[in-house]
């Protein structure tokens, strides 16, 4: 919008959930719009307009009902958001024209209604917002310019601004009308003597995300960076920008994180234009991208540069062509030439500047990695290229994904820092089978592991992580162990160490007989001791453990050989670098009985070097002051119905008995499906609970079941809570409470 608008449209909105300073933080839909025109030249006001909006979900919170006095019956008669927005634009345009003015700008009490409500909701509903909603002025900031002693702009309210200039507030019974009339009073006051204010602080909402490269020498303010976690693995930078629609992301400010295998791990670092937009992004913690909720935490500028920063002139030249769509190709034959790639993509998806639009990723010695990046001039060409996903080039199928400038830089950084195979130490000169203890693998009877049986022989670590889904966050560091046979080939088995027996149980319940590629995989809960038995030739199934044919280490070697990394936490730097091909540990004297031992036959020594890279590290840098620290959240999957009842009837899990060994368990039913640990803590305010005492139950589809288990410090406290809080409302839902015997 022009910086010399003739009129202001004082604009207010309310949602079906939280309003005020938390507007838009709970993803609730818009239900009310109120506006009034102010002529900046004549200092006159137009007719006040009020319009209801029909949301897709008619579930109003108690707070909303109290603040807006709106009912479901009233909203049922309203029109949908797209129709209402068109009415707003047409009404305002007609009134501005009748006044003889040529332009107008929205004036709001804080940016939340525009940035946190209108744009995100329109994006989710695939609505095209009128142009007037891409520019606005913030009344608080304009007032602060006139009255700098009134306090920081972010802390101002309509009441405090009216009090500061000694104007009595307007009181009206209709929701939204009071706010708009008071905003008009403030605007007219600062337009008049002695202020004679001119509204010049026009804020813009970016129409689209701009890709670009980032140099390692660039200064990145830590107050502008967040970490998004739980993203679908195929998400692009544009998908992430759409999730944060309404907030302005810096150019090239989306960096997708990769795991040790060079694949996306469901995380991204996002850099905003300033701290104000970063703070609003944090309010989208656990908002949804499709059916998945996304966690949003603070991050640092240093973390962003480790992912997105680069120094390669080749990359800089490749990315110098702006407004290009980037596609990543993976799995190329090592002999593939630029002409082979151009021929594979075909005439329907021409590459920008032919071979100049191709960037092959290589090791430091010039060997190809099988990866390449391709530039396309428009979305249509990129879509045509993506249709060739998993088509054959030579004798290999090629994977194609949307990519980003930051991913280009990260992949180049990763491969350029990978040590050459020739730097490996020579294999040990051992002529006979060697018995090696595993001092770094703790054995015990705690059933905190799971065994995967029946894996496709082509299954890799990333396939197992995709198979595990949301449970990957519960894997111990270095906790995925592929089991090879004596020939060093996949045996179809794998062991995974989980953070607790409860989480191992949930994985075995949810993932048993789930499909991986064309095969179903059996998942059994087990202990590290049972894992060692299996490695020596025993069997493990749902009927229990069958010991190995012989436990003595001096007899025939076992069927399986397993190699694991030390269960030590990686330093932060290791997250951004590929794992080194390390020397195996020196064999140590056995400290346990036979079940703790594993054999390495002579032909397995060469595999030992390579297989030490196969373990997945489920490690994330600790977020700085997250809204909810991941280490304190108690979200566990649980089966529904009768299985959940059986869980509830059992004694509380050890982790729920934190600080109270004789606690009493209460079962909650009828919870809203979006209710989390924080909501339950608020529901039981005054009972001195902590997050570790709350277990949110999920169904087999990975969705919240509307139930939870809460451990109280004593049976007396639990009974009092049931008596006092049973059938009380949480977000409009009456919650039933039951004491579990």
């Amino acid at each position: 919008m022009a910086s010399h608008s003739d009129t202001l449209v004082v604009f207010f909105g309310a949602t079906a959930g939280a309003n005020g300073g938390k507007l838009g933080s709970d993803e609730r839909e818009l239900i009310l719009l109120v506006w009034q025109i102010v002529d900046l030249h004549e200092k006159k006001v137009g007719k006040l307009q009020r319009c209801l909006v029909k949301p897709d979900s008619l579930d109003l919170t108690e707070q909303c009902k109290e603040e807006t006095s709106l009912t479901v019956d009233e909203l049922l008669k309203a029109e949908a958001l797209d129709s209402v927005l068109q009415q707003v634009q047409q009404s305002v345009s007609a009134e501005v024209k009748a006044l003889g003015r040529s332009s107008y700008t929205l004036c709001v009490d804080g940016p939340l209604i525009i940035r946190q409500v209108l744009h995100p909701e329109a994006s989710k509903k695939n609505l095209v917002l009128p142009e007037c909603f891409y520019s606005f002025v913030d009344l608080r900031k304009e007032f602060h310019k006139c009255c700098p002693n009134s306090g920081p702009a972010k802390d101002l309210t309509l009441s405090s601004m009216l009090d500061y200039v000694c104007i009595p507030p307007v009181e009206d019974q209709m929701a939204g009308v009071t706010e708009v009339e008071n905003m008009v009073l403030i605007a007219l006051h600062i337009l008049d003597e002695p202020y004679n204010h001119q509204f010049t602080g026009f804020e813009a909402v970016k129409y689209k995300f701009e890709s670009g490269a980032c140099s390692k020498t660039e200064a990145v303010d830590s107050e502008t960076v967040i970490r998004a976690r739980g993203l679908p693995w195929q998400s692009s930078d544009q998908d992430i920008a759409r999730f944060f629609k309404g907030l302005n992301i810096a150019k090239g400010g989306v960096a997708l994180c990769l795991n040790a295998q060079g694949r996306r791990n469901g995380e991204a670092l996002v850099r905003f234009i300033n701290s104000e937009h970063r703070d609003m992004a944090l309010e989208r913690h656990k908002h949804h991208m499709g059916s998945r909720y996304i966690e949003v935490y603070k991050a640092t500028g240093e973390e962003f540069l480790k992912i997105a920063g680069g120094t390669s002139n080749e990359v800089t030249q490749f990315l110098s062509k702006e407004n290009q769509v980037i596609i990543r190709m993976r799995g190329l034959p090592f002999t593939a030439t630029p002409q082979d790639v151009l021929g594979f993509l075909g005439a329907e998806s021409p590459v920008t500047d032919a071979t100049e639009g191709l960037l092959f990723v290589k090791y430091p010695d010039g060997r190809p990695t099988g990866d390449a990046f391709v530039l396309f001039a428009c979305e249509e060409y990129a879509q045509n290229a993506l249709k060739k996903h998993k088509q054959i080039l030579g004798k290999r199928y090629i994977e194609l994904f949307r990519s980003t400038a930051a991913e280009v830089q990260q992949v180049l950084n990763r491969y350029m820092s990978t040590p050459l195979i020739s730097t490996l130490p020579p294999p040990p000169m051992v002529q006979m089978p060697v018995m090696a203890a595993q001092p770094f693998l703790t054995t015990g009877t705690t059933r905190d592991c799971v065994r995967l049986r029946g894996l496709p022989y082509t299954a890799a670590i990333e396939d197992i992580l995709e198979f595990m889904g949301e449970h990957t966050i519960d894997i111990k560091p270095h906790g995925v162990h592929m089991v090879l046979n004596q020939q060093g080939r996949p045996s179809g088995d794998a062991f995974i160490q989980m953070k607790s027996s409860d989480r191992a149980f949930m994985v075995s319940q949810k993932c048993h007989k789930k499909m991986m590629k064309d095969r179903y995989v059996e998942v059994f809960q087990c202990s590290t001791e049972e894992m060692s038995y299996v490695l020596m030739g025993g069997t493990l199934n749902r009927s229990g453990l069958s010991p190995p044919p012989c436990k003595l280490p001096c007899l025939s070697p076992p069927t399986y050989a397993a190699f694991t990394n030390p269960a030590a936490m990686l330093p932060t730097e290791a997250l951004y670098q590929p794992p080194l091909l390390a020397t195996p540990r020196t064999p140590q004297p056995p400290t346990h009985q036979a079940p703790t031992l594993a054999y390495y036959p002579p032909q397995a020594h060469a595999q030992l070097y390579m297989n030490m890279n196969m373990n997945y590290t489920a490690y994330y840098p600790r977020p700085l002051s997250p809204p909810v620290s991941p280490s304190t959240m108690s979200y566990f999957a649980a089966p529904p119905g009768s299985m959940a009842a059986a869980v509830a009837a059992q004694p509380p899990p050890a982790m729920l008995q934190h600080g109270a060994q004789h606690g009493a368990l209460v079962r909650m039913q009828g919870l809203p499906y979006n209710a989390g640990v924080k909501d339950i803590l608020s529901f039981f305010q005054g009972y001195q609970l902590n997050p570790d005492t709350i277990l949110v139950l999920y169904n087999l589809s990975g969705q919240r079941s509307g139930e939870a288990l809460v451990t109280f410090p004593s049976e007396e406290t639990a009974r009092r809570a049931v008596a006092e809080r049973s059938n009380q409302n949480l977000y409009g839902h009456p919650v039933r409470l039951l004491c579990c015997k």
Side-chain angles (χ1 to χ4, degrees), residues 632-636 655-656 668 671 676-682 684 689-697 708-711:
T632 62
M633 291 194 304
S634 301
Y635 290 91
F636 310 106
M655 64 179 57
L656 292 183
M668 305 180 71
L671 290 168
V677 172
K678 291 171 64 178
D679 302 307
I680 295 174
L681 287 174
S682 177
F684 287 114
L689 300 176
N690 62 63
D692 293 335
T693 63
I694 297 173
L695 179 68
V696 178
L697 302 183
L709 301 177
V710 183
T711 303

Side-chain angles (χ1 to χ4, degrees), residues 599-615:
Y599 288 89
Y600 303 123
Q603 62 266 37
H605 280 294
Q607 290 291 331
L608 178 59
Y609 292 106
M610 302 305 295
N611 200 52
M612 290 190 73
N613 289 306
M614 297 182 66
N615 293 323

Side-chain angles (χ1 to χ4, degrees), residues 60-80:
L60 306 183
T61 66
E62 291 301 316
Q63 179 190 2
C64 170
K65 293 177 182 178
E66 181 180 349
E67 293 178 349
T68 65
S69 301
L70 294 175
T71 65
V72 172
D73 291 337
E74 290 179 288
L75 296 178
L76 280 171
K77 301 174 185 177
E79 296 188 50

Side-chain angles (χ1 to χ4, degrees), residues 17 74 91 111 174 185 218 437 449 454 557 668 713:
E74 290 179 288
S91 172
M174 296 191 69
L185 281 178
E218 187 174 341
C449 301
M668 305 180 71

Side-chain angles (χ1 to χ4, degrees), residues 366-648:
R367 290 180 296 115
T369 64
D371 277 29
F373 292 94
V374 189
L375 294 178
F376 295 98
C378 65
E379 184 66 28
E380 180 184 357
Y381 295 161
Q383 288 290 347
N384 291 338
L386 290 172
K387 292 176 183 177
K388 298 182 180 293
H389 180 59
K390 291 199 173 180
Q391 290 190 14
I392 303 298
L393 174 60
K395 295 183 179 180
R396 303 188 64 175
Y397 72 83
I398 311 302
E399 297 175 296
L400 291 95
F401 309 97
R402 287 182 173 276
S403 188
T404 69
E407 185 177 31
V408 175
Q409 189 62 70
Q410 187 183 4
V411 171
L412 264 292
N413 290 345
R414 176 180 180 270
Y415 281 112
M416 290 304 292
S417 61
T418 301
L420 304 180
I421 296 298
S422 60
T423 62
L424 279 173
M429 300 299 293
V430 180
Q431 300 299 326
M432 298 183 67
V434 177
M435 178 180 66
Q438 299 178 0
F440 45 85
L441 182 61
T442 304
T443 61
T445 57
T446 302
R447 298 174 66 79
D448 58 353
C449 301
V450 291
R451 177 190 181 188
L452 273 58
R453 188 171 66 183
L455 295 168
Y457 293 125
T458 58
I461 293 291
E462 51 269 20
D463 298 313
I464 292 177
L465 299 180
E466 184 176 352
F467 174 82
M468 295 272 296
E470 63 185 10
H471 300 289
T472 54
I473 197 170
D474 296 327
I475 299 175
K476 283 186 177 180
H478 302 277
V480 178
H481 310 291
M482 300 289 288
V483 181
L484 308 182
N485 59 22
Q486 284 187 316
Q487 286 71 44
R489 296 174 181 172
S491 66
D493 278 29
F495 286 96
I496 301 175
Q497 294 173 282
M498 308 299 292
K499 292 181 179 178
S500 70
S501 58
D502 299 280
R503 304 190 186 193
F505 168 76
M506 298 304 177
V507 172
S508 66
Q509 291 293 314
K510 185 171 180 180
C511 296
H512 184 57
K513 293 196 175 181
K514 181 179 172 183
M515 297 297 293
M516 181 187 294
K517 298 184 178 178
D518 296 328
R519 302 186 62 175
Y520 73 83
V521 178
E522 298 176 293
V523 183
F524 309 120
Q525 186 181 11
C526 65
S527 66
T528 49
E529 183 178 25
E530 292 169 331
M531 179 169 64
S532 297
Y533 268 61
V534 173
L535 296 180
M536 293 183 63
T539 59
L540 176 66
N541 53 40
R542 290 183 176 260
S543 300
L545 174 69
S546 298
C550 182
K551 298 181 182 179
L552 297 177
C554 59
L555 297 183
S556 60
T559 306
Y560 302 102
F563 314 108
T564 60
N565 273 350
M569 187 67 74
L570 285 178
T572 303
E573 293 77 5
L575 178 68
Y576 308 99
Q577 300 294 340
L580 300 180
L581 301 177
T583 308
R585 288 173 175 258
T586 305
Q588 301 290 332
T591 57
H592 299 278
Q593 296 299 320
T596 66
L597 304 175
Y599 288 89
Y600 303 123
Q603 62 266 37
H605 280 294
Q607 290 291 331
L608 178 59
Y609 292 106
M610 302 305 295
N611 200 52
M612 290 190 73
N613 289 306
M614 297 182 66
N615 293 323
Y616 169 74
T617 303
Y619 166 66
Y620 306 98
R622 180 183 296 274
L624 299 179
S625 304
V628 181
S629 173
S631 62
T632 62
M633 291 194 304
S634 301
Y635 290 91
F636 310 106
S642 59
M643 184 65 72
V647 174

Side-chain angles (χ1 to χ4, degrees), residues 128-271:
V128 178
L129 284 175
E131 187 180 354
C132 62
F133 293 106
Y134 284 86
S135 178
F136 64 92
V137 291
D138 187 343
L139 184 61
R140 300 182 188 186
K141 295 179 181 178
E142 298 298 318
F143 185 86
H144 181 72
K145 293 178 184 177
C146 299
C147 309
N149 295 327
S150 59
K154 64 179 182 179
D155 297 333
L156 293 176
T157 64
L158 292 178
S159 298
S160 66
M161 288 187 282
L162 288 169
D163 288 342
Y164 188 83
V165 293
C166 301
I167 297 178
V170 174
E171 295 183 3
D172 195 293
Q173 298 300 318
M174 296 191 69
V177 173
T178 302
E179 287 82 355
V180 169
E181 289 182 343
N182 285 324
M183 291 168 65
V184 169
L185 281 178
I186 295 170
L188 290 174
H189 185 77
I190 61 178
L191 284 170
D192 209 348
E193 297 287 347
Y195 303 107
N196 294 320
H197 181 66
Q198 292 185 354
F199 287 82
T200 56
F202 295 87
E203 298 189 35
V205 179
K206 285 189 176 182
Y207 286 90
K208 64 177 182 178
F209 168 70
E210 300 176 273
S211 61
C214 176
S215 170
K216 281 191 177 295
T217 60
E218 187 174 341
V220 178
D221 185 358
S222 292
E223 295 300 311
T224 64
V225 182
I226 62 93
R227 177 182 295 272
R229 181 181 297 172
L231 298 164
W233 64 270
Q234 70 272 33
S235 297
S236 68
D237 55 350
Q238 297 294 340
D239 296 324
I240 296 169
R242 184 173 182 179
F243 176 79
F244 290 108
K245 185 67 176 176
L247 307 179
N248 293 345
I249 299 174
K251 184 177 180 180
V254 177
L256 300 170
C257 300
L258 308 181
N259 62 19
Q261 287 74 39
R263 298 176 183 264
R264 299 172 188 173
N265 65 3
E267 293 192 20
L269 293 170
V270 185
R271 177 188 178 192

